[in-house]
Amino acid sequence: MTQRMALSELISSYIRAESTVYLAGFSHLIPFAAGHEIIRHGIKHLTLCRSTPDLLYDQMIAAGVAAKVVFSYAGNPGVGLLPAFRRAVETGGIVIEEYTHAEMVARLEAGAAGLPFWPVRAEDNDLTVQRPRASVVCPYSGTQIPVVPALNPDVTLIHVQRADEAGNLYMWGLPGEIKEAALAARTLVATAEEIVPADSARTDREHLIVPGFRVAAVAHAPYGAHPSYAAGLYERDTVLYQEWNRIARDTAQCNKWLDEWVRGVPDHAGYLAKRGVRYFERLALKGGHDRANES
Amino acid sequence: MPTSRDWMIIAAARLLQDGERVLVGVGVPNIAANLAKRLHAPGLVLVYESGVIDARPEKLPLSIGDGTLVEDALAVLPMYELFSHYLVRGWIDVGFLGAAQIDASGNLNSTVLGPYESPRVRLAGSGGAAEIATYAKRTIIVMEHDRNRFPAKVDFITSPGHPPGARRPDGRGPWRVVTSLGLFGFDEHGRMGVLALLPGHSYEEVLDMTGWRIPCLTDEFHYSPPIQPEEEAALAALRSTLTIGDQK
């Protein structure tokens, strides 16, 4: 039975220091509200996994929550690099474990299927010099097949457009690796733009990404992906992505920003109130977010 | 007056043919592919590693996970499907990539400058590049040309090019490199050479900006035809749709 709870309670109940967490998404539906809540709770020594760590992981690294990052592309989408990540790697402040996208999503497939590894088609490169890739002998042809190890996050956290009270999760738009990351998790928790009565979204089955029985807890978080975007609801806040590129180059500026926009607000509702309704009207897509705004 | 960057974008766009399925990387390849689609290749199928198949973006997408790529796309697939079921199975005609460094064999580096364990500059990493560069039927690389970007040996091989001493036998791997100075190809030994120089640039300049003695592969040095008015107009129109960002 999926528990419905406030985001703050969800984070304190499910995210433990030193655990391996995956906040999923490829530019789309990035769980910013949940990531910021992790910062507010002061949880430390996390292993952060995602194929595409972006602004959110850069902020979490800057806030000191991460000991390690497992990834395949660490960039600020369309803008450049990730300054806090760069600084942490270049000064040895963080451990990295790096793959290609194809390897990273294959690791999730193995994790989701409960298998110890997944075969891949891949050539060697200098990543496999750094971290030699294992292989298995195909029992049918006798050929060597490269493999990657399963990735099973302790907790995967995803953000979706809609959940129902039974915890069924619905999303649309770019799926990225959200479903595979969700199913690879030992524990899956979610935030949702809106939570509708149980069974009321039943006919929307083509958007169901994970059935509620797989979901431990869900929290309501309107604009919970801001400044990334939620298809059909609101656009990406590209200005913030560009500003971060400037802010994050300087540690003091970085901390000032985190103090103002993350640590200095009590919770996600506080963040929304601090930005103000007008701010989000600019990003909202027509006909998109009326219902989520009401609650 | 068109800049070297304009030339690079237009020369790269001209290499894409109508109807091809092109897997488009971030940055300049993204601009060039969108330009080709608005000019001579309206049937170009734009594929992005985020899982987008046959994007028809109204605006120039800032990033490859943009909402504008999803609207009117034929499909948005999970990343796993795109890589496993399409790219590495040979369904992509052209890999269209940028990189921080390239060497004579077409090895690409998008991971680190300096040693991996203690990098001088930590870059974004492979993303899909390693598999795109090796499993697309052929690869086109687009990048600014300077000595740091064209070393004899890249600091880190993110995406392997041609093997030592030979071009890949099945046509895969680096096929063309388009830079701010010229157009480059690969000889039968899999070594990069000059195919043509962009207007205003000389072979001496290319030698000066390249970390190995890069040969000429043809006698026909000068890139043609000149930029056409419709190309210039389409590029300007495309850029005007990108209201913010330094990608232009």
Side-chain angles (χ1 to χ4, degrees):
Chain A
M1 179 71 188
T2 310
Q3 291 189 291
R4 184 176 168 180
M5 51 179 70
L7 178 54
S8 171
E9 189 190 352
L10 181 146
I11 296 301
S12 61
S13 304
Y14 289 96
I15 310 293
R16 298 265 175 269
E18 296 178 23
S19 59
T20 297
V21 297
Y22 199 118
L23 280 70
F26 191 122
S27 304
H28 177 223
L29 292 174
I30 307 302
F32 270 91
H36 286 179
E37 195 62 27
I38 289 173
I39 295 175
R40 262 178 230 119
H41 281 257
I43 300 163
K44 301 277 188 207
H45 311 299
L46 294 176
T47 293
L48 298 178
C49 311
R50 194 195 316 156
S51 52
T52 55
D54 62 5
L55 224 63
L56 176 59
Y57 278 13
D58 213 38
Q59 292 168 350
M60 292 173 80
I61 291 164
V65 310
K68 182 175 177 181
V69 181
V70 182
F71 72 103
S72 42
Y73 185 89
N76 181 337
V79 179
L81 299 173
L82 298 175
F85 169 81
R86 259 193 74 177
R87 198 157 49 236
V89 175
E90 290 167 15
T91 60
I94 206 165
V95 175
I96 57 169
E97 187 180 327
E98 181 169 10
Y99 296 86
T100 68
H101 275 349
E103 291 175 322
M104 194 72 182
V105 291
R107 295 193 64 198
L108 292 174
E109 283 288 332
L115 290 166
F117 60 83
W118 204 256
V120 292
R121 281 171 188 255
E123 292 189 8
D124 286 341
N125 58 11
D126 279 352
L127 284 173
T128 59
V129 171
Q130 291 293 327
R131 174 187 37 74
R133 186 160 41 207
S135 62
V136 294
V137 176
C138 169
Y140 304 106
S141 66
T143 54
Q144 292 274 340
I145 313 275
V147 298
V148 290
L151 176 56
N152 287 108
D154 294 320
V155 181
T156 291
L157 220 160
I158 71 172
H159 183 70
V160 296
Q161 281 101 337
R162 182 175 298 151
D164 74 4
E165 283 166 343
N168 298 305
L169 304 181
Y170 297 84
M171 69 144 293
W172 46 95
L174 205 68
E177 85 305 28
I178 293 177
K179 184 191 266 190
E180 294 78 7
L183 295 172
R186 295 192 171 87
T187 302
L188 170 61
V189 293
T191 51
E193 291 288 332
E194 63 170 354
I195 297 182
V196 299
D199 276 357
S200 69
R202 233 184 135 76
T203 55
D204 193 21
R205 61 186 66 80
E206 67 270 26
H207 291 141
L208 184 110
I209 179 157
V210 192
F213 65 76
R214 188 68 179 77
V215 185
V218 62
H220 182 217
Y223 290 102
H226 177 265
S228 79
Y229 72 104
L233 301 179
Y234 50 92
E235 293 183 321
R236 186 165 91 135
D237 195 350
T238 299
V239 173
L240 280 192
Y241 278 75
Q242 294 185 311
E243 278 180 7
W244 180 256
N245 197 40
R246 178 176 48 76
I247 293 163
R249 283 171 197 204
D250 180 77
T251 313
Q253 286 285 319
C254 215
N255 271 315
K256 191 165 159 252
W257 190 92
L258 289 168
D259 282 342
E260 179 171 7
W261 291 103
V262 183
R263 298 185 191 115
V265 293
D267 54 17
H268 182 59
Y271 173 77
L272 295 182
K274 184 173 164 66
R275 289 260 175 225
V277 177
R278 284 270 168 80
Y279 188 90
F280 291 105
E281 280 173 358
R282 181 173 71 82
L283 301 167
L285 295 168
K286 276 200 185 93
H289 220 315
D290 306 341
R291 277 206 288 175
N293 275 335
E294 285 165 16
S295 46
Chain B
M1 270 293 285
T3 63
S4 290
R5 191 173 170 82
D6 296 344
W7 267 107
M8 174 171 73
I9 293 167
I10 289 166
R14 286 174 180 175
L15 293 173
L16 300 173
Q17 291 165 29
D18 200 21
E20 286 183 318
R21 293 179 291 273
V22 55
L23 212 160
V24 185
V26 294
V28 176
N30 184 28
I31 304 175
N34 277 277
L35 181 65
K37 193 165 174 69
R38 283 159 171 78
L39 290 165
H40 59 277
L44 190 67
V45 179
L46 303 179
V47 181
Y48 291 84
E49 69 182 19
S50 53
V52 177
I53 297 226
D54 197 10
R56 293 179 180 176
E58 268 181 38
K59 300 183 288 187
L60 187 61
L62 184 65
S63 91
I64 58 170
D66 261 23
T68 184
L69 290 176
V70 173
E71 289 155 28
D72 293 327
L74 180 69
V76 282
L77 303 178
M79 283 170 79
Y80 180 77
E81 282 187 29
L82 183 76
F83 280 100
S84 290
H85 302 171
Y86 294 90
L87 173 63
V88 305
R89 295 297 306 277
W91 290 102
I92 299 298
D93 298 310
V94 182
F96 203 38
L97 297 172
Q101 289 184 322
I102 188 168
D103 65 20
S105 302
N107 294 310
L108 303 179
N109 174 17
S110 45
T111 303
V112 283
L113 298 181
Y116 186 77
E117 296 297 343
S118 53
R120 193 168 72 254
V121 182
R122 173 64 226 197
L123 304 167
S126 166
E131 282 83 10
I132 295 168
T134 46
Y135 288 97
K137 287 180 186 160
R138 63 183 190 283
T139 306
I140 301 170
I141 299 108
V142 197
M143 52 195 283
E144 296 279 346
H145 202 135
D146 70 51
R147 212 176 168 86
N148 297 326
R149 287 172 167 266
F150 281 67
K153 192 170 179 295
V154 293
D155 292 1
F156 189 94
I157 299 176
T158 311
S159 311
H162 294 294
R167 201 158 53 193
R168 288 170 185 261
D170 55 4
R172 287 186 297 143
W175 174 64
R176 292 285 182 270
V177 182
V178 186
T179 78
S180 41
L181 301 183
L183 177 67
F184 303 81
F186 291 83
D187 66 16
E188 68 275 21
H189 305 295
R191 303 273 297 175
M192 197 195 304
V194 183
L195 290 175
L197 297 163
L198 292 176
H201 299 290
S202 65
Y203 180 48
E204 287 67 34
E205 191 181 359
V206 170
L207 283 175
D208 191 41
M209 290 294 175
T210 305
W212 70 95
R213 193 168 170 82
I214 188 166
C216 293
L217 299 180
T218 58
D219 302 328
E220 192 55 54
F221 255 55
H222 295 289
Y223 185 84
S224 65
I227 292 179
Q228 305 299 305
E230 62 270 24
E231 290 174 322
E232 206 167 353
L235 181 56
L238 192 59
R239 281 175 169 151
S240 74
T241 67
L242 188 66
T243 49
I244 37 183
D246 52 6
Q247 265 203 6
K248 299 185 181 188

